[in-house]
Amino acid sequence: MNSIKSVPARVLSRRAGHSLEAEREQFDKNQAISISKAINTQEAPVKEKHVRRIILGTHHEKGAFTFWSYAIGLPLPSSSILSWKFCHVLHKVLRDGHPNVLQDCQRYRSNIREVGDLWGHLHDRYGQLVSIYTRLLLTKISFHAKHHEFPPGLEVSDEVLEKTAGTDVNNIFQLTVELFDYLDCELKLSESVFRQLNTSMALSQMSAVQCRLAPLIQVIQDCSHLYHYAVKLMFKLHSCLPADTLQGHRDRFHEQFRSLKSFFKKASDMLYFKRLIQIPRLPESPPNFLRASALAEHVKPVVVIPEEAPEDEEPENLIEISTASTTEPQITSDIFQQTFGPPNGIRDDRDAQIESLKKEVDTLRAEMEKIKLEAQRYITQLKAQVNSLEGEVEEQRKQKQKALVDNEQLRDELERLQQVKQDSDRSLRLCAEAEKKANATEIRYTKLKEKHSELINTHAELLRKNADTAKQLTVTQQSQEEVARVKEQLEFQVEQVKREAEMKLEDQSVQMEQLRRELDARRDELDQAQCSLSHAKQAGTELSAQVETLQAEKEQLRRSVSEKERELLSTRSLVQEKELQLSQEADKASREICELQGKLLEKSNQEQSLQQKLLDEQFGILQEAVREAEGILRDAVAKLDDPLHVRCTSSPDYLLSRAEAALESTDALESGHAQYVASMADAAALVGALALFTHLTADTIVNGSATSHLAPTDHADRLTETCRDCGQRSLDYLGELKDKQTLGRAELGDVRRALRGVLGLAQELRPKSLDIKQEELGDMVEKEMASTSAAIEDAVRRIEEMMSRARNESSGIKLEVNERILNSCTDLMKAIRLLVMTSTNLQKEIVESGRGAATTQEFYAKNSRWTEGLISASKAVGWGATQLVESADRVVLHTGKYEELIVCSHEIAASTAQLVAASKVKAEKSSRNLGKLQECSRNVNEMAANVVASTRTGQEQIEEKDTMDFSGMSLIKLKKEEMETQVKVLELEKCLEGERVRLGELRKQHYALAGAYDAAEDGEARPAPAPRRGILKKPALAQKPGHVLGPDREG
């Protein structure tokens, strides 16, 4: 103690200053850690606990200065995922942070815009989302900076909305346009996210998908408010302006309504959102703004965020230490511990608590890792199955593509052969023409030979007749000109034949070139002959001197004629060779065409055989399915007479659901049958529909037999026979499917009539106590649990009001008694509220684990008895809470009795016990929520006992007891008083006995109303025996009589 007193005051002040600096440094360090953990490059959703610390930091420093000081330093241009998470965190900080955050964000609008522009120009999937998200954030900041009446969370009352809009039509018009722009930005972001998810066929449980989906929770919250405000302002505009003026507004609103409805529907179907947010349902059609009364039909969409389970927090945040209320002795103790350390041998309880919590966190993390590994293993198996199926599909696709390519090649080859045949025909025609021309040339050659003979004769005559030399010379010149003309014609024809041969027969181009050279040589020789003739013409005057020259020319002409003969012979042989070659090619082409036609015919036969094989295989698959279906139905029909099946029971409600499903499956079966009859190459639709119909019909028959075991005799016999007839009709229909002759005439009319008969009997056997539809049970459970919670909250509020009123109006012993009673009632209400919340969580766990692929409403409809028990118990708890508050109010005002409080406490304890029993029916024994529920039930019993004890204690303190002084009475008077007292005791005992009998009748009627006396109608429950008069005593605490719920026994 002396050491503590000797500490100087300046040391204390210095330590206080260092404490503030250390606190600020610790705050900055915590904020930096939270920001770095929340905004990172991992493709996973932002953890809520890190964002919550950032938001608490903005409230701590009343702004976002620290957040932006660290956010500016983040390398946002380097990673699109980092920028996406930054936008998500900024959106949550704007919504839930301190109001001054909006002003701080105004100064960094340019930074946000630069990030969006950067990623908008890059082809990155996250980058495109970041560009759209930044535009949304800029629109949000601008809107709220302009309209200060709207907080960033968008939660304002209708009065504030009316005040903000005002009475000026221009202001209302402009505000509506801004709200539409705001809502467009929100919807564009949601559409972009879902568009990327559709392209990747992602699952909502993958971390990469959740990283994209996480910001849509804030988008859903914003859109619900913006939609409500837009509807309000649109109705107000239509009350001020004509309808034609607002046609554009209506069209834009209708488009946004369709987009928002589609967005809410897609989000509601995803498992990721179901545990994080309750998405409201929009009406089927948009509001009719042309009808003013439609505003009363508008319901504001409300988004509900369920209470989050506590996440793994760091140990240092588990214990809250308030430094504001620390007293001077505590400061002295801290200084002592800082100076000399903690006392030896003393261990802080907080360390033990932190260590235990660390162990629990490690255990939970190990369990979570195990669950993640198992889920990953399942995902890997499913992916392997998907890959194998995709491989098979790809193989089938390749075979089909190969067959198509082969078919195309055969068609091309056939066309090519047809073209070759046409070319061959054309070549044959050309050869025939060439042959004709050769014949004509031969005729001309004969004529030329004749002319040559005439020329020889003429030359001899010239020798004999010198006088006629000039005349013979002229004749000779004419003959030579005619020969030259014939030669030119022959040359032209040969050239033409050669050109045609070159065009059609390219392989003989070398030979044709040689022929051309020979023709050129012959042309030169002809030119020489012409020159010789010209010389003979010049020497005509000197005929005698040129006789020898004429002889030489004669010889030369003879040689040229012989050469021409040889040329013609070679040309004829060449033409014959060409004809032979063309005929060979034509034969070869015809043989190839015959071969290809044979292959084509073989291919066509093969395709026909494959098609027939496919039809046989499809019919074989159908027959296998029919045989399997007959086995299933025969097994189900055999259950009707199986003595071992007598112990199996089912409810009419479940039989009704099975019969309706079987009746609906007949439509799909009829459609599949029609498709198969139209195209017998594909029996997939018929086989799938047949399998579904068979299982549902067999399930209906088995459950009909199980339901008949609890039904009255008449109904049981009728139901059994109807199920037997249904099975026989189904077997007859399957028999028709087995024969190709009767396959097309198979009808489902008899089967449908039999199923409708089962459906009608199930309707007759349903319990008559159900006043609501089966599909409404799920919604009623949620409504009753919500109304119970609301009733308890209202009770707590009223008790607090009574507490403050009692403090103002009473004092002394009365004030003490009233405070004790109201405090115990408050504790009881808190315990009941905790029990209701735990029961709700357990109920959700039961529904999620038991419904399978069905919806929540279908699960409640299937277990209607259990659902009615939950509704009844929830109503009893809410009613008991209300009665307790009213009784407490009367006791505080001295207008009621203390016994009313005691009875209400017993009633509440019994009602909560009924709720616990109803929740325990379908819960698993290993459920953690079940253990919590039982612990809450014990706590409610304790709190109810505290209310009874405090009530009785207060009653003893308040009520004045008369002092029994009989000293002044005589013997006779004492005897008289004794007799009167005995008479009063007997009267009270008789009254008590009558009240007990009345209580027994009331409880009996309660059983009847609760549904325990409807066993004679539905055969599922038996009435509890009426209590005997001799044992009618007050029930113990938390043991209010009520009908006991049991799980539906369904086959």
Side-chain angles (χ1 to χ4, degrees), residues 247-280:
Q247 181 63 40
H249 272 49
R250 286 197 300 275
D251 295 341
R252 187 176 182 184
F253 177 84
H254 291 165
E255 183 179 358
Q256 289 182 346
F257 176 84
R258 289 190 294 270
S259 179
L260 182 61
K261 186 175 179 63
S262 175
F263 169 41
F264 280 3
K265 186 178 184 303
K266 291 179 181 178
S268 300
D269 295 338
M270 288 191 172
L271 186 61
Y272 174 73
F273 290 107
K274 289 183 179 179
R275 61 184 182 85
L276 297 177
I277 188 171
Q278 183 178 343
I279 303 174

Side-chain angles (χ1 to χ4, degrees), residues 276-333:
L276 297 177
I277 188 171
Q278 183 178 343
I279 303 174
R281 293 184 179 178
L282 295 182
E284 294 297 328
S285 58
N288 185 6
F289 300 111
L290 303 179
R291 185 167 54 89
S293 60
L295 179 59
E297 301 172 2
H298 169 66
V299 179
K300 179 180 180 181
V302 179
V303 177
V304 179
I305 303 294
E307 292 188 5
E308 301 172 353
E311 299 181 38
D312 293 334
E313 298 284 344
E314 281 75 9
E316 61 267 14
N317 292 333
L318 292 173
I319 307 300
E320 295 182 358
I321 303 174
S322 177
T323 58
S325 61
T326 306
T327 58
E328 185 176 358
Q330 292 174 338
I331 296 175
T332 306
S333 177

Side-chain angles (χ1 to χ4, degrees), residues 865-884:
R865 304 286 295 176
W866 175 70
T867 305
E868 289 180 350
L870 282 177
I871 295 172
S872 175
S874 178
K875 287 182 178 179
V877 171
W879 178 81
T882 305
Q883 293 299 318
L884 179 66

